[in-house]
Amino acid sequence: MRRENCLAGRVSAIATSLPGVLDRDPALAGKVTTVGTPMRPAILAAAATPFPSLDSGGPLRILVVGGSQGARVMSDIVPPAVERLEPALWSRLVLTQQVREEDMTRVRAIYDRLKIDAELAPFFSDLPARLASSHLVISRSGAGTVAELAAIGRPSILVPLPGAIDQDQFANAGVLAKVDGALRIAQAEFTPDRLASEISAFAAEPAKLTAMSAAARTVGRLDAAERLADLVQKVAGIQAK
């Protein structure tokens, strides 16, 4: 049994960031209150930004991230997927991608050859603003990432980190996929052909991205800090003022 589950059995309340994460354990599920993830001010500011307008002939802004260190799979899959798109779509793409330093040269070479409008960096300090300006996010599905996508309300293609014992990222992505706010693709199925097909479909039907944005927002929580404080007070028997 994982250490956190041992501890969970001893507490009287459990606060979770995402709904449904302990549904498979009835003994723990009864203790759960979903409060959300307390958001930093930059995310709260980004959440106030409406989904950017999108039409079938305008720019398609795609953000590709892979956690704090980047994800090599994104460098392996996204550039060849872009290469497989119809050439008419290349001029519409405005691509921002987190790329590890050791992958930078090969990724940049593909985008330069295709004349893609691409900004590449190992780290973006203004990620909340970039999330808010994007029409589509391609990412891993850590709990914080999923919570931020829901709070801001941005459509996503989520590729859970494989190999985890409890498949937490797979479950995280499922929270958004269940409400049609994201497309969850297992890494084994995350191929250049599959990704190119999904991007092409979104580009041809921009209304779907708008609908996914609204759907993602339905599970976002902007008042998580207040909810968590209320739960702590309740457990401690403190009367809220």
Side-chain angles (χ1 to χ4, degrees), residues 140-141 159-164 167-170 187:
R140 289 295 197 197
S141 50
V159 185
L161 181 69
Q167 291 295 299
D168 55 320
Q169 288 207 6
F170 189 84
Q187 184 162 309

Side-chain angles (χ1 to χ4, degrees), residues 9-98:
R10 302 177 185 178
V11 302
S12 55
I14 301 171
T16 65
S17 296
L18 300 169
V21 295
L22 292 176
D23 284 353
R24 291 178 294 179
D25 190 333
L28 300 181
K31 301 179 181 182
V32 167
T33 298
T34 301
V35 300
T37 300
M39 296 292 167
R40 49 197 164 125
I43 291 293
L44 295 176
T49 304
F51 185 66
S53 61
L54 176 64
D55 59 59
S56 58
L60 177 61
R61 300 181 180 277
I62 299 178
L63 173 65
V64 184
V65 290
S68 60
Q69 300 299 316
R72 173 150 291 158
V73 68
M74 299 300 175
S75 295
D76 291 343
I77 300 301
V78 178
V82 170
E83 195 168 16
R84 285 163 168 76
L85 298 174
E86 290 294 328
L89 188 50
W90 292 342
S91 62
R92 291 183 54 198
L93 292 184
V94 179
L95 184 66
T96 301
Q97 183 168 346
Q98 183 185 23

Side-chain angles (χ1 to χ4, degrees), residues 63-67 74 137-141 145 149 156-160:
L63 173 65
V64 184
V65 290
M74 299 300 175
V137 179
I138 304 171
S139 176
R140 289 295 197 197
S141 50
T145 297
L149 287 169
S156 56
I157 294 174
L158 299 177
V159 185

Side-chain angles (χ1 to χ4, degrees), residues 110-132:
I110 293 175
Y111 293 148
D112 285 351
R113 176 165 52 81
L114 302 177
K115 296 182 171 55
I116 302 296
D117 182 351
E119 182 178 358
L120 312 178
F123 177 77
F124 295 105
S125 60
D126 58 344
L127 191 57
R130 292 177 184 272
L131 284 168

Side-chain angles (χ1 to χ4, degrees), residues 153-198:
R154 291 300 176 266
S156 56
I157 294 174
L158 299 177
V159 185
L161 181 69
I165 294 175
D166 58 1
Q167 291 295 299
D168 55 320
Q169 288 207 6
F170 189 84
N172 296 340
V175 173
L176 287 177
K178 185 177 180 180
V179 297
D180 294 326
L183 177 63
R184 179 176 61 185
I185 303 178
Q187 184 162 309
E189 301 169 5
F190 185 60
T191 64
D193 285 338
R194 172 71 186 277
L195 181 59
S197 175
E198 300 296 351

